């Protein structure tokens, strides 16, 4: 095997993610051409709309914030061999709980009221995630099915609340406004960007520390690498799975709490355009790296912001951004294909050393 192939094998997660993203862009260009659109024009508009000005950059970071949270939430579950498709519902739980606390007048200073709302959102999302972990460990239920079903239950229950008992007077499907003291402040005067992006970055750093420097993180990684070996080594696999789902749900809950205390300023029915599911693409592109998720979230945030600008400047459908996200997941989930394309799986020439050697 050549030296180049050896390097590619050593850096395979990064290389696979990079090549997957490039392939997703190229394939989406082909699809645009087949549909009669100019991909060069489309991507030039997307770049201009997401990075062309200070306002565009701030909008990109606003869009990236929830994607970083949901990417982290999905990644934590996956590290423990759990496919948490319930990030969307757990995010709704955190958002609703945080909105309830935030809109309730309390005899607290503003910063404490905000912290209480965020903490309650974290607890709400964490409990929703822990329930899935409990069903998995206690009854052996499939987390893909239970998370998918709980999404419907939670989202529809939240919709009921904002349409009936918690509906703001004279409003449509939303709660009362969160009190000013419990809202996240703006980072730049005159722009909508708040300190939510800083919280998202700090969350990524905390996740990295927990997974790499703590006993819990070691146990999660051990279970993810080899469940039977971890159990033989004395690790309580069931407990680790429940804690991982609690942690995953807490991150999703924090996402919802941050959203309602910054962008939404209240709980609004249907506030999420699918952030929980977009987190799968973000985690895939980042190769399940906490710091990589920050960059992947910004990339997808730029695509979403650029797509909105594209919609204003042309007749090209914004759904092509969703196509790119789906293609990223498809290519990342086919590492053998990517390695074949970059030559990492090329067989050694006759007389060369074998892969095993």
């Amino acid at each position: 095997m050549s030296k180049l192939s050896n390097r590619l094998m050593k850096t395979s997660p990064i290389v696979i993610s990079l090549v997957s993203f490039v392939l997703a862009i190229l394939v989406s260009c082909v699809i645009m051409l087949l549909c009669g659109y100019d991909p060069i024009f489309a991507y030039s508009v997307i770049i201009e709309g997401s990075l062309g000005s200070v306002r565009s950059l701030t909008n990109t970071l606003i869009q990236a914030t929830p994607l970083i949270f949901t990417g982290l939430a999905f990644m934590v579950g996956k590290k423990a061999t759990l496919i948490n498709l319930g990030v969307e519902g757990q995010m709704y739980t955190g958002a609703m709980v945080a909105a309830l606390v935030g809109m309730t007048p309390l005899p607290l200073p503003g910063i404490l009221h905000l912290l209480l709302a965020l903490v309650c959102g974290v607890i709400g999302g964490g409990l929703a995630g822990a329930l899935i972990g409990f069903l998995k460990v206690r009854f052996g239920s499939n987390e893909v099915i239970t998370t998918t079903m709980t999404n419907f239950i939670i989202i529809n229950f939240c919709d009921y609340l904002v349409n009936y008992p918690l509906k703001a007077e004279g409003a449509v499907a939303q709660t009362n406004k969160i009190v000013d003291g419990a809202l996240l402040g703006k980072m730049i005067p005159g722009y909508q960007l708040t300190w939510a992006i800083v919280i998202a970055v700090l969350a990524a750093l905390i996740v990295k520390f927990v997974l790499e420097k703590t006993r819990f993180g070691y146990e999660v990684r051990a279970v993810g690498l080899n469940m039977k070996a971890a159990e033989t080594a004395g690790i309580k696999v069931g407990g680790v799975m429940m804690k991982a789902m609690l942690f995953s749900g807490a991150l999703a809950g924090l996402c919802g709490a941050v959203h309602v205390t910054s962008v939404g300023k209240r709980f609004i029915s249907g506030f999420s355009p699918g952030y929980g599911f977009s987190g799968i693409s973000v985690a895939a592109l980042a190769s399940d790296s906490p710091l990589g998720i920050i960059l992947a979230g910004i990339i997808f945030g730029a695509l979403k912001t650029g797509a909105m600008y594209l919609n204003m400047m042309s007749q090209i459908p914004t759904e092509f951004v969703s196509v790119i996200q789906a293609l990223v997941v498809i290519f990342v989930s086919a590492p053998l294909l990517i390695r074949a394309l970059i030559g990492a799986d090329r067989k050694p020439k006759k007389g060369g050393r074998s892969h095993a050697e």
Side-chain angles (χ1 to χ4, degrees):
M1 184 176 288
S2 65
K3 292 182 179 179
L4 176 59
S5 294
N6 281 325
R7 287 198 202 100
L8 290 172
M9 290 298 290
K10 290 179 182 178
T11 60
S12 58
I14 299 174
V15 172
I16 288 173
S17 295
L18 178 61
V19 174
S20 297
F21 184 70
V22 172
L23 284 175
I25 296 293
L26 293 176
V27 173
S28 67
C29 287
V30 173
I31 295 174
M32 285 188 193
L33 284 172
L34 293 175
C35 294
Y37 300 111
D38 182 358
I40 296 178
F41 169 76
Y43 280 109
S44 63
V45 173
I46 287 175
I47 292 172
E48 180 185 354
S50 59
L51 305 172
S53 65
V54 175
R55 188 168 300 279
S56 298
L57 284 170
T58 57
N59 289 336
T60 291
L61 292 178
I62 291 171
Q63 289 292 327
T65 301
L67 299 180
I68 294 172
F69 281 119
T70 56
L72 290 170
F74 182 81
M75 180 269 295
V76 168
K78 188 182 173 187
K79 288 285 187 182
T81 71
L82 296 167
I83 306 301
N84 183 10
L85 297 184
V87 172
E88 187 85 354
Q90 293 149 20
M91 178 182 65
Y92 266 73
T93 303
M96 177 56 76
V97 173
L100 287 172
V101 175
M103 71 184 192
T104 304
L106 297 174
L108 293 172
I111 184 64
L112 292 182
H113 196 170
L114 171 62
L115 289 175
L116 180 63
L118 294 178
V119 169
C120 289
V122 168
I123 294 172
L127 291 177
L131 173 63
I132 304 300
F134 173 76
L135 294 175
K136 171 78 173 179
V137 174
R138 182 67 178 82
F139 302 105
S141 61
N142 187 310
E143 75 275 9
V144 173
I145 297 174
T146 53
T147 51
T148 302
M149 292 300 100
T150 52
N151 276 340
F152 288 106
I153 295 171
I154 293 172
I155 293 173
N156 284 313
F157 180 66
C158 289
D159 284 345
Y160 161 75
L161 291 177
V162 295
N163 276 286
Y164 296 100
L166 299 179
K167 182 180 178 181
E169 186 177 353
V172 178
Q174 62 186 26
T175 64
N176 289 319
K177 187 178 180 296
I178 293 174
V179 299
D180 291 338
L183 293 173
L184 281 166
K186 295 180 180 179
M187 288 184 65
I188 306 174
Y191 296 91
Q192 295 301 312
L193 183 66
T194 69
W195 292 98
I197 184 63
V198 176
I199 297 176
V201 172
L202 288 176
L205 295 175
I206 291 172
V207 170
K208 178 178 172 62
F209 175 81
V210 170
L211 291 178
E212 295 182 1
K213 302 296 183 180
T214 67
R215 177 177 177 177
F216 168 67
Y218 168 78
E219 291 177 342
V220 167
R221 288 184 286 115
V223 170
L225 291 171
N226 193 317
M227 191 181 301
K228 290 185 178 180
E231 192 171 14
T232 302
I235 296 175
K236 296 181 179 178
V237 174
V240 171
M241 285 184 170
M242 286 189 62
K243 292 176 185 176
M245 281 302 300
L246 173 67
F247 193 13
S248 176
L251 289 165
L254 179 59
C255 176
V258 164
H259 181 86
V260 297
T261 55
S262 58
V263 177
K265 295 182 175 57
R266 67 185 76 209
F267 185 99
I268 303 172
S269 177
F271 71 86
S272 170
Y275 292 132
F277 301 106
S278 296
I280 299 173
S281 306
V282 173
L285 182 60
S287 296
D288 297 327
S289 164
L291 297 186
I293 284 174
I294 298 174
L295 177 59
I298 292 173
I299 290 173
F300 280 120
L303 286 173
K304 286 182 177 292
T305 302
M308 296 177 191
Y309 189 67
L310 180 67
N311 190 41
M312 294 187 294
M313 300 298 294
S314 72
Q315 297 299 316
I316 301 176
T318 59
E319 283 74 17
F320 280 112
V321 172
S322 299
V323 171
I324 296 171
Q325 288 181 314
L327 288 170
V328 166
V329 176
I330 290 172
F331 287 124
V332 170
S333 63
L336 293 179
L337 170 64
I338 304 303
R339 286 185 179 131
L341 290 173
I342 63 179
D345 282 343
R346 189 182 297 119
K347 293 182 180 179
K349 295 180 180 179
K350 189 175 180 179
R353 291 186 298 175
S354 67
H355 175 67
E357 290 174 336

